């Protein structure tokens, strides 16, 4: 089943899978960074222990959600959305962070959402996942 998701089908699906792969890689780097901060008890962790753990959990949700989106599962977007909200609000809680810096960690999620909503022949990947369109047969 996992190998069937690698089949090249449509440009939208290819763009989505490329964005998902980059997001998964980026999220894994974040996970290992947060684990390093926690396990080595760096100063950031000593000052913000709860925030660091929540950032780790948000990154784990992003990876889980992106894998599910990659497999075209319905719950994937919502897990990713929850992880993105957690990361955004935790980043917002830090003093001295500019508005655009609050989006660190969720920029790929925004790209993934927009790629999912792109329509070709009246059908988007979002429609395929959620079976909202009657024209799904045109896409497959």
């Amino acid at each position: 089943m996992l190998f069937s998701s690698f089949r090249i089908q449509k440009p939208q699906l290819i763009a989505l899978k490329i964005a998902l792969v980059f997001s998964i890689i980026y999220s894994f780097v974040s996970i290992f960074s947060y684990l390093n901060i926690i396990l080595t008890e760096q100063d950031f962790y000593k000052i913000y222990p709860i925030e660091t753990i929540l950032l780790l959990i948000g990154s784990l949700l992003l990876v889980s959600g992106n894998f599910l989106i990659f497999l075209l599962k319905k719950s994937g977007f919502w897990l990713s959305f929850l992880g993105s909200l957690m990361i955004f609000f935790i980043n917002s809680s830090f003093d001295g962070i500019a508005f655009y810096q609050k989006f660190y960690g969720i920029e790929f999620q925004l790209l993934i959402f927009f790629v999912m909503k792109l329509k070709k022949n009246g059908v988007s990947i979002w429609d395929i996942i959620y079976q909202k369109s009657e024209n799904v047969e045109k896409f497959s």
Side-chain angles (χ1 to χ4, degrees), residues 43-58:
D43 291 337
F44 182 81
Y45 178 66
K46 290 178 182 176
I47 297 170
Y48 304 108
I50 295 172
E51 290 86 348
T52 309
I53 293 170
L54 288 176
L55 286 169
L56 175 65
I57 292 170

Side-chain angles (χ1 to χ4, degrees), residues 25 44 114 120:
I25 291 169
F44 182 81
F114 290 123
K120 183 171 182 179

Side-chain angles (χ1 to χ4, degrees), residues 15-131:
L16 176 65
K17 289 183 180 185
I18 289 171
L20 284 168
V21 167
F22 281 120
S23 179
I24 289 168
I25 291 169
Y26 182 75
S27 295
F28 269 120
V29 169
S30 297
I31 288 170
F32 289 120
S33 297
Y34 294 132
L35 279 174
N36 182 39
I37 290 169
I38 292 169
L39 294 175
T40 59
E41 294 185 4
Q42 294 181 12
D43 291 337
F44 182 81
Y45 178 66
K46 290 178 182 176
I47 297 170
Y48 304 108
I50 295 172
E51 290 86 348
T52 309
I53 293 170
L54 288 176
L55 286 169
L56 175 65
I57 292 170
S59 295
L60 288 169
L61 288 174
L62 285 178
V63 168
S64 306
N66 287 338
F67 272 122
L68 289 173
I69 292 172
F70 197 83
L71 298 173
L72 300 178
K73 302 292 182 186
K74 291 180 181 182
S75 60
F77 174 76
W78 298 110
L79 271 177
S80 295
F81 182 70
L82 180 62
S84 297
L85 283 178
M86 283 180 70
I87 290 171
F88 178 78
F89 285 116
I90 295 300
N91 285 340
S92 297
S93 71
F94 297 123
D95 293 330
I97 293 183
F99 180 74
Y100 66 89
Q101 291 174 326
K102 295 174 185 177
F103 289 100
Y104 285 173
I106 64 170
E107 59 273 351
F108 277 114
Q109 296 311 117
L110 297 172
L111 175 67
I112 288 166
F113 176 72
F114 290 123
V115 170
M116 287 175 68
K117 293 301 275 183
L118 285 176
K119 290 192 181 249
K120 183 171 182 179
N121 297 330
V123 178
S124 68
I125 303 230
W126 184 270
D127 295 335
I128 291 171
I129 292 174
Y130 287 92
Q131 301 295 321

